[in-house]
Amino acid sequence: MIPDDLDRLVDKLDLESKVRLLTGATVWRTPAEPAIGLEPMVTSDGPAGVRGEGWDERRTSLSLPSATALAATWDESLAQSIGELLAIEARRKGVHVVLAPTLNLHRSPLAGRHFECYSEDPLLTACIGAAVIRGIQSRGVAATAKHYVANDSETDRLTLDARVDERTLREVYLAPFEAAVQAGVWVVMSAYNGVNGVTMSENELLAEPLKGEWGFDGVVVSDWGAVRSAVASARAAQDLVMPGPDGPWGEALVAAVRAGEVPEPAIDDKVRRLLRLAARVGALPAFPAPSPADPSAGDLTTTSTLNPSADGPTTGSAAERPDRALLRRTVAASTVLLRNEGGLLPLDPARLTRVAVIGPNATRPRIQGGGSAGVYPESLVTPLAGLRTALNSHAEVHHATGVALGGLPAPLDVANARNPRTGEPGLLVRLLDASGAEIHAEHRLTGRLPEPEGPIHRAAAVEVRALVLPDRAGPWDVAAAGWGRLELTVDGRVMIDETVPRHTDDPATVHLAPPYRTRRVTLEAGRQVEIVVRRELVPGGGRACVLAAAPAPADAAAELTAAVELAGSCDVAVVVVGTTEQAESEGVDRETLGLPEGQDELVRAVAAANPATVVVVNSGGPVAMPWRKEAAAVLVSWFPGEEGGNGLADVLLGRAEPGGRLPTTWADRALAPTVPEQGVLEYAEGPHIGYRGWLREQDSPAYWFGHGLGYTTWAYEGLCAPERVAPGRPVRVRVTLRNTGRRAGREVVQVYLGRPQDHERPVRWLAGFAAVTAGPGERVEAVVEVPARAFQHWAGTWRTAEGEVSVLAGRSAADLPLEAVITVSYS
């Protein structure tokens, strides 16, 4: 679509029509404009799956490995394939714009949304993020680079002011977004926070460098609710306000334009960008977008998965489904083997008779992080199920919980509740008017309901009813959640009657995580009870409602004893530990890196009972591991998505190599704070985040950025780099290495640069990487392309200092056996 075409369309619209297009028509849709043939565009959260419009567990999605897992692959080709799969899912659900990837950095391991971001390193984040963008947009769906910029923690995230010096902004936090623009991204999302005193929807950084220097020609969409002004944000380079239909622009912006406070050409530019996006994604049929790749071609998915009218699960078994095979392969490729003493892994199925799988996460794993990125998976393979399937003909697989996790009871679902009206597994949800009369009823599959359906505008209350048949006698915890008045009854007996005032404006909390109210009740085994929650709908309180019930946590000592006894009776013990939704979720940062609820004690006890203990860490980001030297093997499986159990079994049994390398440093403490002081969060560490910061510390982290073992060993034998290079020129570095083990394997060769004479720069920084594969005894050469930018620093413009630069190559930020020196010189 050429600029004159866009201008002709814009000229057909009056001011009111143009302004109307710049605020969402609904929570997830942009407005249509029949006068110019513009159709609505549908947006959807998407970093780890495409949910579609709204929250409905009956409309399932593929649940992908978390962003941290994808970055752990250090594999741009695989990341691009995952991007294509996101686009295919988007097209199946009628989505034009996927709100991914998240390009913020792991400034602190305490950040609650760590799992949704790729890495602590700007280069690795840029490479993986750009690959995902290319994959998504190759299928005619828009990717969204978010959250621009310095949105790297959750505490007071709506209002905090990140104070970042210009050099650090350019070299670190803006770098992945610059790479996204170079990759051709069609949408950029402005963040909630401010940077250097100005909220991002009004910040000059949207104009420069984004639209000016970098030449971004797409749409700047706000994070949901992030635009808080009419004039200041409209005068900035903000283009689209979400959600709608209400917002700060509308009539106020029309009035501001007529008063001369906002120039109308600025409005025209915003509309022009919106129309360009619509043409690209096929929402402006008069100007067809270039044909994307044939969605039924390639090796990602089956034709049935691509049915754009399908609302339910896609069909076919995992063995028949290339999309599930891709997810399973990604799980293995992302799994990081931190420790493998004595070569315990891989396990030999022929030598196993009894296997213990221990831990609450073994049967209820976290496959995704909490918050707006969540999806409803079409199915789920747990670690226990994955191992039982893989060892079906070889060994008995037994489970013990091992630790009684406290926290909140799980929402009721089809496994433990029935609809009292129909008897079907699930729950009955009703909308009630002010008199208590039913105006809508529906059958649902879960007691966690962010958005009950029906004529919500006419409703005064939401009611959720379920029949529960306790499988054990004794104390049970029943819970309800929602804003406004909550009433929970068990067989007509009032257990909760309380008004819950809204205490936050954070949409992730208001709409997805209302506070729970819990009571304990004694139930009889086999005696059915009806549990009912009624939640008042209050202005600004959203629709979210939760009904939960579960047996009270078992005796901790008994659980631990049973796990230890099981471990001691088995050939190997696999302990799956991890975080909870309260620990890693959008809207809240962690206060500690420690595992919750006695899991450290569990690992130590099991490892003492069985020397052949493998610990699997099921988390989105780093956790402290005080027992790491007591366990024979330690794996990080991240939030692996719905194929997690199968991918983990592949790795444990040697069907696939643990291909992951850490995208972030794992330590027992955080170097950077996440809590602002008086509204200001100082990025006082400058560019020294992650491994860069640890290189300046007296002690060392548990595991360095880039670390990860495979099932073979490697010898680094030679590094070849040019002796001299002119400023502004890329460099090709060649690294020779040899597979010294007995298995074929894959190695990620990492190249770092350093300038010992430049104390303002980090000790060293990642400059490039390349993966190689080789058979036993085979020698191979890795060719690493180091871009010119790796040699540059920001000083009002990009500059390259002359002098010597160290080039180091190896397996992690601290394991770099090879070194050379390049002289940068104009002569």
Side-chain angles (χ1 to χ4, degrees):
M1 193 173 192
I2 61 176
D4 287 348
D5 296 326
L6 293 171
D7 290 339
R8 280 196 293 270
L9 293 181
V10 173
D11 290 344
K12 291 182 179 181
L13 303 175
D14 59 21
L15 178 61
E16 287 82 0
S17 297
K18 288 186 286 190
V19 168
R20 185 181 63 83
L21 292 179
L22 302 179
T23 295
T26 68
V27 174
W28 301 108
R29 291 185 173 226
T30 63
E33 179 47 77
I36 58 173
L38 175 64
E39 299 174 353
M41 288 181 283
V42 177
T43 66
S44 172
D45 288 307
V50 182
R51 189 177 59 252
E53 293 182 89
W55 293 78
D56 191 326
E57 75 285 355
R58 297 166 296 185
R59 295 193 282 270
T60 59
S61 306
L62 285 174
S63 175
L64 281 59
S66 63
T68 43
L70 192 56
T73 69
W74 292 61
D75 187 333
E76 293 170 78
S77 176
L78 184 56
Q80 183 162 331
S81 293
I82 290 294
E84 290 184 59
L85 184 56
L86 282 168
I88 290 167
E89 279 283 276
R91 295 184 69 192
R92 177 171 74 87
K93 289 176 170 283
V95 168
H96 301 89
V97 180
V98 175
L99 303 177
T102 302
L103 299 180
N104 303 114
L105 297 182
H106 297 167
R107 175 177 172 266
S108 171
L110 293 170
R113 212 169 178 177
H114 198 289
F115 58 86
E116 199 176 314
C117 312
Y118 293 117
S119 169
E120 69 187 20
D121 184 82
L123 177 66
L124 180 57
T125 296
C127 290
I128 299 298
V132 170
I133 289 166
R134 290 192 296 269
I136 293 173
Q137 295 187 172
S138 72
R139 302 261 173 168
V141 175
T144 305
K146 66 181 188 182
H147 310 82
Y148 188 86
V149 62
N151 184 223
D152 309 296
S153 55
E154 295 296 286
T155 304
D156 296 341
R157 66 180 182 144
L158 301 186
T159 57
L160 77 80
D161 179 26
R163 298 287 173 86
V164 196
D165 68 83
E166 186 180 11
R167 180 171 179 176
T168 298
L169 259 179
R170 285 285 193 152
E171 294 180 6
V172 180
Y173 296 99
L174 285 171
F177 291 94
E178 183 177 7
V181 174
Q182 291 172 347
V185 73
W186 295 342
V187 181
V188 170
M189 180 185 290
S190 59
Y192 288 123
N193 58 283
V195 172
N196 296 331
V198 181
T199 192
M200 277 311 305
S201 61
E202 303 170 11
N203 203 292
E204 61 183 12
L205 290 170
L206 297 178
E208 291 294 345
L210 179 60
K211 290 184 175 180
E213 177 188 329
W214 297 347
F216 174 63
D217 68 354
V219 170
V220 174
V221 64
S222 71
D223 204 340
W224 269 227
V227 174
R228 305 174 180 104
S229 66
V231 174
S233 58
R235 288 180 64 88
Q238 181 72 49
D239 298 317
L240 176 62
V241 173
M242 292 296 286
D246 300 320
W249 284 6
E251 293 180 2
L253 181 51
V254 171
V257 173
R258 289 193 168 137
E261 297 175 289
V262 176
E264 189 163 357
I267 303 299
D268 292 345
D269 180 68
K270 300 176 195 300
V271 174
R272 190 179 297 112
R273 289 170 177 272
L274 191 74
L275 297 179
R276 183 180 294 120
L277 174 63
R280 284 168 166 167
V281 301
L284 201 58
F287 301 91
S291 297
D294 178 1
S296 64
D299 62 352
L300 292 180
T301 187
T302 61
T303 303
S304 63
T305 308
L306 298 171
N307 178 3
S309 64
D311 288 327
T314 53
T315 59
S317 68
E320 300 167 338
R321 292 269 305 278
D323 50 3
R324 296 291 293 265
L326 173 63
L327 297 184
R328 182 171 181 166
R329 179 162 63 91
T330 304
V331 172
S334 67
T335 299
V336 182
L337 179 59
L338 296 179
R339 176 178 170 87
N340 193 20
E341 288 302 295
L344 174 62
L345 295 179
L347 303 172
D348 182 354
R351 297 185 178 184
L352 300 175
T353 57
R354 281 173 57 87
V355 174
V357 180
I358 295 169
N361 289 54
T363 54
R364 298 185 68 92
R366 293 198 69 196
I367 63 170
Q368 59 188 340
S372 63
V375 299
Y376 296 101
E378 59 180 39
S379 64
L380 166 61
V381 183
T382 68
L384 179 62
L387 272 172
R388 278 185 170 158
T389 299
L391 292 172
N392 183 44
S393 60
H394 297 281
E396 298 176 359
V397 179
H398 300 272
H399 175 252
T401 301
V403 61
L405 287 181
L408 304 174
L412 292 170
D413 58 28
V414 293
N416 55 12
R418 289 189 300 115
N419 183 323
R421 183 168 290 177
T422 66
E424 298 174 84
L427 305 92
L428 172 65
V429 178
R430 304 197 303 153
L431 298 184
L432 311 174
D433 66 16
S435 70
E438 179 182 301
I439 58 176
H440 175 77
E442 61 181 350
H443 178 76
R444 299 299 293 261
L445 310 180
T446 175
R448 180 176 181 264
L449 299 157
E451 292 182 341
E453 290 195 341
I456 201 77
H457 62 283
R458 292 168 43 206
V462 177
E463 181 189 86
V464 186
R465 289 179 173 264
L467 297 175
V468 176
L469 187 67
D471 59 357
R472 70 183 73 175
W476 280 60
D477 290 332
V478 294
W483 308 101
R485 185 181 175 189
L486 279 179
E487 182 183 85
L488 184 144
T489 63
V490 178
D491 275 350
R493 183 158 54 109
V494 176
M495 305 299 299
I496 298 170
D497 188 353
E498 182 179 346
T499 298
V500 181
R502 200 186 84 180
H503 59 74
T504 178
D505 291 326
D506 192 320
T509 303
V510 171
H511 298 289
L512 302 177
Y516 275 58
R517 297 294 185 264
T518 304
R519 297 291 185 272
R520 186 155 289 179
V521 60
T522 299
L523 300 179
E524 299 177 25
R527 181 183 176 277
Q528 181 174 274
V529 295
E530 184 176 41
I531 306 177
V532 181
V533 62
R534 183 175 292 187
R535 186 229 142 158
E536 173 192 21
L537 293 172
V538 295
R543 311 178 194 176
C545 186
V546 178
L547 176 59
D555 177 73
E559 292 278 10
L560 181 60
T561 297
V564 170
E565 290 177 354
L566 175 63
S569 70
C570 291
D571 304 309
V572 64
V574 178
V575 187
V576 188
V577 296
T579 58
T580 63
E581 188 162 346
Q582 291 72 48
E584 282 189 282
S585 182
E586 180 180 356
V588 60
D589 291 321
R590 287 193 277 175
E591 296 181 358
T592 173
L593 295 178
L595 287 169
E597 307 284 352
Q599 293 182 84
D600 289 336
E601 181 184 0
L602 172 64
V603 171
R604 283 180 157 146
V606 170
N610 190 332
T613 291
V614 181
V615 182
V616 179
V617 180
N618 173 208
S619 70
V623 298
M625 298 179 289
W627 37 260
R628 60 185 177 271
K629 294 183 180 179
E630 300 170 41
V634 181
L635 288 162
V636 179
S637 68
W638 311 103
F639 294 153
E642 62 189 69
E643 278 291 320
N646 283 332
L648 176 62
D650 290 342
V651 168
L652 290 173
L653 301 178
R655 297 173 179 175
E657 188 175 21
R661 303 294 184 266
L662 289 179
T664 258
T665 302
W666 280 48
D668 295 338
R669 62 186 176 92
L671 298 183
T674 60
V675 179
E677 295 184 8
Q678 298 182 333
V680 174
L681 186 59
E682 294 281 358
Y683 282 41
E685 69 284 349
H688 305 284
I689 66 169
Y691 69 91
R692 302 173 177 204
W694 279 103
L695 287 168
R696 306 198 309 170
E697 295 290 306
Q698 295 298 313
D699 55 338
S700 296
Y703 297 103
W704 286 91
F705 171 83
H707 173 73
L709 308 174
Y711 288 156
T712 188
T713 54
W714 298 86
Y716 280 73
E717 298 182 341
L719 185 157
C720 179
E723 295 182 358
R724 188 175 300 274
V725 63
R729 299 294 299 274
V731 168
R732 178 170 292 173
V733 176
R734 300 180 182 274
V735 179
T736 304
L737 60 164
R738 184 166 49 89
N739 182 343
T740 56
R742 298 179 179 179
R743 285 179 55 123
R746 172 181 181 267
E747 177 74 333
V748 178
V749 178
Q750 302 161 43
V751 171
Y752 295 78
L753 300 183
R755 278 186 177 272
Q757 69 276 19
D758 186 348
H759 299 295
E760 292 187 21
R761 297 209 70 166
V763 174
R764 53 184 170 269
W765 58 94
L766 182 68
F769 58 91
V772 294
T773 57
E778 185 179 352
R779 182 176 284 105
V780 66
E781 182 180 75
V783 179
V784 180
E785 303 290 345
V786 178
R789 177 64 61 81
F791 293 89
Q792 297 175 331
H793 65 278
W794 181 260
T797 186
W798 289 106
R799 299 183 184 278
T800 305
E802 293 189 86
E804 293 186 345
V805 177
S806 297
V807 182
L808 305 101
R811 314 189 72 243
S812 76
D815 184 2
L816 299 165
L818 302 179
E819 183 174 1
V821 174
I822 294 177
T823 300
V824 179
S825 173
Y826 284 96
S827 59

